[in-house]
Amino acid sequence: MTSTPWHAAMITPEQDFGGAPLLRKEFILEEGHGAVVDAVLRATALGVYEAFINGIPVGPDVLSPGWSSYEWRLRYRSYDVTHLVGPSTVIGVELGNGWYRGRLAWHGMSNLYGDELGFFGQLDIEFDDGHIQTVASDTSWQSGPSATTFNDLYDGQNIDARRLQPGWAEPGFAPGADWTGVRELAFDADRLAEPVGPPVVRAGVVPPVEILTSPAGKTLVDFGQNLVGWLRFTVQGEAGQVITVRHAEVLEDGELGVRPLRSAKATDTFILSGGQDVFEPTKTFHGFRYAEITGWPGTLTPSDLEAVVVHSDLERTGTFECSNELVNQLHRNIVWGLRGNFLDLPTDCPQRDERLGWTGDIAVFAPTAAYLYDVKGFLQDWLLDLAAEQKAQDGLVPITVPDALKYCPQPAEFPSPESSALWSEASVWVPWALWEAYGDLRVLRNQYESMASHTRRVEGLLSPAGLWDSGFQFGDWLDPDAAPDQPWAAKADTAVVATACMHRTARLTAQAAGLLGKHDDEAHFNALADRVRDAFAEHYVAADGTIRSDCTTVYALAIAFDVLQTPELREFAGNRLAELVRDNGYRVSTGFAGTPFITHALTDTGHADEAYRLLLEEGCPSWLYPVTMGATTVWERWDSMLPDGSINPGEMTSFNHYALGAVADWMHKAIGGIRPLEPGYARVLIQPRPGEGIDWAKTSLKTPLGEIRAEWTLDGGEFLLEATVPDGVTADVVLPDGAQRTVGGGTHSFRAPVTVAVATGA
């Protein structure tokens, strides 16, 4: 994996300093070899690390090496530090608990992977004459205490500025009596892996918009945006004075709404040194819009602090805007939800005692993510962990990756460690979404074994009739009609949902096999898909076309997953779906399974008007209801906050979940009008579908072949479209009147008559 062999050892402090221990190694450059032409530090940790050369951070990343399936993959990062090394050089490292030793999940458990922090690093310095000097982590290093006395991702960080040791990572520092040596930990370097995805970085700052005083007299800071990261500030006060910062996403009755955090304390504590102190708790992170601050010396003003936004370093690729400002805010909420939950891996939420890589969320959100940001490397890295967990569990794709839950007590509501429809389907659906977005066959090649293994495993779970109708299923999780404490109690029959998902999975696996030249597998998985489709028709579709449980989700999935056998059945399903949507007053009636697909299913069966009205509905439950309540990210529940401003009474309530934001995929493809006809957008369909309530829209996408843009407006009875296509890309343009044109690179203008009513008051 590297041109230079490893000489490093995994080292840990000889004594437990608590908090975040410091490690240092001072050395002299070897003489007689000329100037330094190259210096590369490769580093990783059991825990998280911050590395310095002569007191300067080696890179912009934070919380490295992140969270991977440590049992099989421990990623390291490489840094060009040529400009930092000098005649006398110090490598300094500060360790934190991170995901390795900190709390994970809701069981209150720590140390799931190990109880000792460790650092593994190697600095290779190349000189003019080709000589390489290697300085690696070994027992010659020193260790000591830091100013951080406690750190946990869920609970926060305590920093005592009186314990700071200026210059500890610089030459000439004289360690005190509290410093000691290090010892080696047993470690297999074969686990080391170069990361495929980007590092976690400080991605920006958000200033406060208001300082509030709560009814109880607490000082609250409102940042105006629900975000993920931490506070940073400079302050001066009496030595020993304590500043405490508590974080939460919402207010309830004017006070910090901490109940949704469950057991996560989300609290940072800072003890002042008496001089000017700069505080930034980089070994934790919080999901918050509001911060409650106590102990601040003097009067707190908005200019005194800022929120640092933290997430994986992703390039923005897709944009969307339209004439309806509520829809624009919804789209901004979806983007912020992605940013907050794409912190090294795709998590469900960033604030409570969970923050796990739930497979179901990303299974449905991957197409949206791949439009908004370049997530190819980010999700490929996560898929490597998925495949590693799956291989270790006899083909089972766990419901979270990395699978911390396998170390935790099995909750009664999830009775068996079995494949779960839609959740385990991430092994197939996410690679396919990346293939469609980026057109890189290596993604499918790398993940094919995982895709096929999952599909074969579920094949073995099917009943003799060909149905996936046994074992626990999450089903249409968080159906809005389910009780707050029973998120699994959906209207949609779980076996209908699972069997429809299996049809899609088998068909996609067959297509992947065909693309890779595995034609025996292609035939097998297509035959499996046919068997499941036939079983679905025989057991779940009545003679009149009604699908078992007769609710919006089952029709949406049957249409979107192409599981219906005839055009007549598909037409009936589309009509019945539209009827159910109308009968429900255009309020949302779907959960995690149906929501990402319902607007697509409506539009693809000729019911775009119902799809628009469903999107634009403002009553609860709907996509726009949270927007009307001031949401700045997508909520976990349709009613995470009730109309009276109180928090949903369910134990599981988050104000930053991206899964229900998968509707943005329809916004990009149907309202904006851009979708791939060939993987990687080598051929593209530009077909905006205007609807009542929106009278203009524009969207853009940076593809591997260049930027595609589509902007349209309604002008009286005319539809005006301007489309920009990169050179080398062919676009099929379809106008609302059915007219079609095929164009190549350049900017093209089109006109067509349209009967859609123009929005008013938007």
Side-chain angles (χ1 to χ4, degrees), residues 187-208:
F187 178 72
D188 182 1
D190 287 342
R191 277 197 283 163
L192 294 174
E194 197 163 356
V196 177
V200 177
V201 297
R202 300 171 179 87
V205 296
V206 174

Side-chain angles (χ1 to χ4, degrees), residues 364 421-423 429 474-482 487-501 536 547-564 573-574 576-581 584 587-602 614 623 638 660:
V364 297
L422 193 145
W423 273 253
W429 297 6
F474 288 96
D476 198 26
W477 186 256
L478 282 171
D479 180 323
D481 294 320
W488 59 85
K491 299 181 292 293
D493 185 288
T494 56
V496 175
V497 170
T499 304
C501 287
F536 188 95
I547 298 176
R548 179 185 289 186
S549 58
D550 192 35
C551 63
T552 48
T553 287
V554 296
Y555 292 107
L557 297 186
I559 294 165
F561 297 170
D562 199 23
V563 73
L564 299 171
R576 179 59 178 153
L577 176 60
E579 180 182 24
L580 290 169
V581 168
N584 201 47
R587 304 285 179 95
V588 167
S589 57
T590 50
F592 264 39
T595 295
F597 304 103
I598 186 169
T599 45
H600 282 298
L602 287 166
L614 189 62
W623 281 287
W638 298 107
L660 300 180

